[in-house]
Amino acid sequence: MDTAVEHAVPLMLSGVSYHYEADGPGIDDVSLSCSEGSWTAVMGPSGAGKSTLLYCASGLLPVSSGSVCVGGQELTAMNEQKLTRLRRDHIGFIFQDYNLVEAFSCLQNVMLSDLFGGRRIELSQALAALAQVGLEESANLFPGHLSGGQRQRVAIARALAAQPDMIFADEPTGALDSKSSRMVLTSLRAVVNEGRAVLMVTHDPSVAAEADRVIFVEDGRVRSVLPGGDPHMIAQELTALAHSPEEDRL
Ligand SMILES: Nc1ncnc2c1ncn2[C@@H]1O[C@H](COP(=O)(O)OP(=O)(O)OP(=O)(O)O)[C@@H](O)[C@H]1O
């Protein structure tokens, strides 16, 4: 692999806009970057554009203007084939509802890409990813035997196994109780400590507080950025944003 690409910033968005339809909702002029070993949370009211931001940043939605670079590679200029390869090789995606295949064991779920002719994942890589989320003992269990938190940790292991530069997580704890959430957040911190960058959407200030910084989005635009760490400060910012007069937001 090209060394310059290998050491490039995992994610950089410059002036990114996307609208589902002309003059309709979407995101406007969003700029942000995520460095190696950093964890960024995205918060904002319902309908603010958080998921849209995540989908644009991961190449799942084509931006209408601006630039998106993942691992130093510009996504907006890529054809579908190159984009698919980039997503496969550099991006992990964790969804709220886990997206596990019920008929496959945890290990098979982690190796899914390899089983379907996508990225090659060695057995040792898959087992290491399961161990990283504390599920090495559960490799041969099926999702039906797991709690919600364990399922989500399998999904994280799957995102990790391909050793992506960048992990996107859309409400990864949204469906979990507090104990399971805690385990998922511990796993995500381990991923970040290993040098991966995480961009995570959440509604929960105590989950966002686990991140290194929190980006607040409203009406499709970035309104403010706070450091992680203090759930009360994050909750206050969210409330202030929701109650700010329309003219202050423009
Ligand atoms: N496929 C779509 N077609 C048209 N409009 C859409 C589509 N998906 C989302 N939207 C609209 O775009 C805006 C941003 O949606 P998005 O899902 O990004 O918000 P969000 O901040 O993630 O919301 P939530 O917290 O409720 O999940 C909303 O007004 C939403 O209704």
Side-chain angles (χ1 to χ4, degrees):
M1 191 191 280
D2 182 333
T3 339
V5 169
E6 200 176 346
H7 295 293
V9 176
L11 179 71
M12 189 171 296
L13 269 65
S14 308
V16 167
S17 299
Y18 174 82
H19 290 266
Y20 291 95
E21 47 203 70
D23 297 328
I27 56 171
D28 281 295
D29 198 22
V30 171
S31 297
L32 63 92
S33 66
C34 297
S35 52
E36 279 177 32
S38 72
W39 186 353
T40 304
V42 181
M43 297 201 87
S46 186
K50 304 179 293 296
S51 296
T52 306
L53 167 56
L54 217 60
Y55 299 153
C56 287
S58 56
L60 291 172
L61 283 177
V63 306
S64 24
S65 59
S67 145
V68 181
C69 281
V70 172
Q73 300 187 59
E74 175 63 56
L75 262 66
T76 46
M78 286 183 184
N79 62 26
E80 196 49 45
Q81 196 184 10
K82 276 195 173 164
L83 199 53
T84 302
R85 203 176 316 135
L86 178 118
R87 276 200 297 260
R88 188 191 71 190
D89 293 344
H90 294 278
I91 290 176
F93 215 109
I94 300 164
F95 297 91
Q96 178 175 345
D97 54 4
Y98 328 126
N99 277 7
L100 300 184
V101 179
E102 297 292 321
F104 285 2
S105 69
C106 293
L107 183 62
Q108 287 169 322
N109 267 287
V110 172
M111 297 189 74
L112 206 59
S113 163
D114 186 79
L115 296 176
F116 284 94
R119 185 177 175 137
R120 181 95 191 92
I121 295 170
E122 302 293 339
L123 179 61
S124 57
Q125 278 177 293
L127 289 171
L130 277 169
Q132 206 180 336
V133 298
L135 286 177
E136 60 273 48
E137 307 283 312
S138 308
N140 294 318
L141 293 183
F142 287 80
H145 292 104
L146 304 179
S147 68
Q150 288 171 320
R151 282 166 170 257
Q152 191 56 296
R153 281 149 65 205
V154 174
I156 294 174
R158 183 171 58 195
L160 279 181
Q163 304 189 321
D165 306 308
M166 191 64 223
I167 294 183
F168 296 97
D170 198 358
E171 290 276 358
T173 59
L176 302 178
D177 59 33
S178 57
K179 188 173 165 223
S180 298
S181 292
R182 169 65 27 217
M183 285 195 269
V184 164
L185 294 170
T186 302
S187 297
L188 280 174
R189 178 49 76 185
V191 169
V192 171
N193 287 345
E194 215 200 24
R196 319 240 172 255
V198 173
L199 184 64
M200 167 189 80
V201 167
T202 180
H203 279 106
D204 184 340
S206 63
V207 170
E210 298 290 328
D212 303 315
R213 67 175 172 162
V214 188
I215 291 179
F216 293 86
V217 176
E218 195 193 26
D219 293 337
R221 291 180 182 270
V222 173
R223 300 297 174 183
S224 53
V225 182
L226 284 181
D230 184 345
H232 299 294
M233 204 165 74
I234 293 167
Q236 270 176 0
E237 179 70 8
L238 199 58
T239 310
L241 201 64
H243 294 123
S244 64
E246 182 104 4
E247 58 271 22
D248 288 359
R249 301 182 212 145
L250 300 172

